[in-house]
Each structure stands twice: as structure tokens, then as C-alpha cells.
């Protein structure tokens, strides 16, 4: 479900409401959420969904491999061998193998590219194997190749039966054809 709107149209607010990511009272927001025509209980969406925010926030001295390992260590009780296998599969799937052991870096210290950071953020969310994925402007600020790569990955996830809900600003014609 692409939300294609101009800037300041409220797409971030809508995504935050749908994903229950607001920090303030929802007293003025009414309605029910359903998945497959079944009502969702409060906080049930949290267990089956992932949310990719507009900004990518990482510790600059970590590598993509370390970020994914940390994410799995915080959420999974699987064996170390299974975690390593999942991480390697995710790095391959998101085309992050070349930068897997490069520090993320910062403005002052060169590291991975913006497109690689975006794909790393997506990889973190996909490790959860969510049924529903909310994405707030996943292609904004990316070059056309990186944006197309992100959308093609989302299309693969949708073909697996996952629900993809995202906001897109100024999508290229190639991306628009894909959604």
C-alpha cells in the first residue's frame, strides 16, 4: 500500500498512528485495526510488525555485521551458529556483503554509504520476520539505484505474503511502476 503524497501531507503521522508509534495520547484518534478481517488487540501489532523510520540511527563505530548481531542478540534466543547464518543471509539479501565489516562512520569519519545505511536499517527490521512492515520514506535521499533496490526488496517481501505500508515522496517512474 503506497502512500504517495507531497511533503508535510501527514504521512508520517498516519504511519505512526497505524503502527501505534505515537508518544502522545490517541484520545482524538478513533477506529479499529483489523488484519485479515480479524480485529487486532491493543499492542498485538507490535509483535507482528516492523517499523522503518525516516532516519537511520547507528553507533558509528559498529559495522553492519555487528549491528545485525546486536539486534539478534537482543531479540532471539537462537544458537550463535543460527544467528551467524541469518546475518550472512540478510547481508547477501540486502546487498551489504561488501561493507559488512566496514565501520558505519559519521560525517567526520568516512564509513558506509547512505544507501547502505538505509538497507542496514531495513535488514534490522527484516530480521524480525514481520507480517506487516511500515516504512516512512524508505527511498528519500537515496540515489535512483539504491531507491530501486529498496523497492525491489520490498516487492519480494510482499510476494512472500507480507503487508508493506510505506510513504514515498517523489518516486521515480521505475519505482512507481513497481508499486
Amino acid at each position: 500500500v503506497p502512500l504517495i503524497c507531497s511533503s508535510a501531507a501527514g504521512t508520517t503521522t498516519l504511519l505512526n498512528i497505524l503502527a501505534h508509534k505515537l508518544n502522545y495520547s490517541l484520545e482524538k484518534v478513533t477506529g479499529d485495526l483489523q488484519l485479515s478481517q480479524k480485529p487486532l488487540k491493543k499492542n498485538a501489532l507490535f509483535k507482528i510488525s516492523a517499523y522503518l523510520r525516516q532516519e537511520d540511527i547507528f553507533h558509528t563505530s559498529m559495522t553492519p555485521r555487528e549491528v545485525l548481531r546486536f539486534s539478534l542478540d537482543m531479540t532471539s534466543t537462537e544458537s550463535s551458529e543460527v544467528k551467524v547464518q541469518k546475518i550472512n543471509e540478510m547481508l547477501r539479501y540486502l546487498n551489504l556483503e561488501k561493507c559488512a565489516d566496514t565501520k558505519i562512520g559519521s560525517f567526520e569519519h568516512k564509513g558506509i554509504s547512505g544507501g547502505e545505511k538505509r538497507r542496514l536499517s531495513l535488514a534490522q527490521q527484516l530480521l524480525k520476520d514481520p507480517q506487516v512492515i511500515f516504512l516512512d520514506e524508505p527511498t528519500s535521499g537515496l540515489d535512483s539505484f539504491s531507491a530501486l533496490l529498496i523497492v525491489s526488496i520490498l516487492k519480494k517481501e510482499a510476494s512472500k505474503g507480507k503487508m508493506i505500508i510505506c510513504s514515498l515522496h517523489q518516486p521515480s517512474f521505475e519505482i512507481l511502476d513497481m508499486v
Side-chain angles (χ1 to χ4, degrees):
V1 180
L3 302 170
I4 302 173
C5 302
S6 62
S7 293
T11 55
T12 296
T13 302
L14 177 61
L15 285 173
N16 286 336
I17 289 169
L18 293 174
H20 292 270
K21 295 290 183 183
L22 293 176
N23 291 330
Y24 55 86
S25 173
L26 292 176
E27 292 172 5
K28 296 180 182 177
V29 177
T30 60
D32 298 314
L33 282 179
Q34 295 184 354
L35 184 63
S36 300
Q37 298 178 342
K38 296 177 185 168
L40 283 174
K41 293 179 183 173
K42 188 175 183 177
N43 297 328
L45 193 57
F46 178 77
K47 295 176 184 176
I48 62 167
S49 68
Y51 190 94
L52 184 72
R53 297 185 182 279
Q54 286 181 27
E55 59 282 332
D56 303 309
I57 302 170
F58 299 110
H59 195 285
T60 59
S61 66
M62 293 179 78
T63 67
R65 187 181 311 278
E66 291 169 338
V67 167
L68 295 180
R69 179 58 190 243
F70 181 77
S71 294
L72 275 181
D73 285 345
M74 293 293 105
T75 60
S76 173
T77 58
E78 298 168 313
S79 71
S80 184
E81 295 80 23
V82 170
K83 289 177 183 178
V84 168
Q85 181 181 356
K86 280 185 171 184
I87 290 166
N88 288 334
E89 287 172 6
M90 193 59 65
L91 290 168
R92 191 171 24 263
Y93 184 51
L94 278 287
N95 196 23
L96 292 168
E97 290 176 298
K98 290 181 184 175
C99 71
D101 299 305
T102 302
K103 293 202 183 300
I104 291 167
S106 64
F107 185 74
E108 295 86 20
H109 299 97
K110 185 171 171 26
I112 65 175
S113 72
E116 290 165 338
K117 286 179 188 174
R118 199 72 190 139
R119 292 196 310 275
L120 178 57
S121 289
L122 181 56
Q124 274 187 297
Q125 300 308 313
L126 293 179
L127 277 176
K128 300 174 187 176
D129 195 25
Q131 286 181 262
V132 181
I133 306 170
F134 294 95
L135 303 103
D136 192 5
E137 299 184 38
T139 61
S140 290
L142 299 180
D143 60 76
S144 59
F145 173 78
S146 295
L148 198 57
L149 184 57
I150 291 278
V151 174
S152 67
I153 290 165
L154 294 176
K155 191 169 182 175
K156 287 178 192 174
E157 292 299 308
S159 72
K160 295 176 187 177
K162 297 180 182 195
M163 182 183 295
I164 310 296
I165 302 170
C166 68
S167 62
L168 296 174
H169 292 287
Q170 301 176 338
S172 68
F173 288 113
E174 294 89 359
I175 290 175
L176 202 51
D177 280 345
M178 291 180 76
V179 295

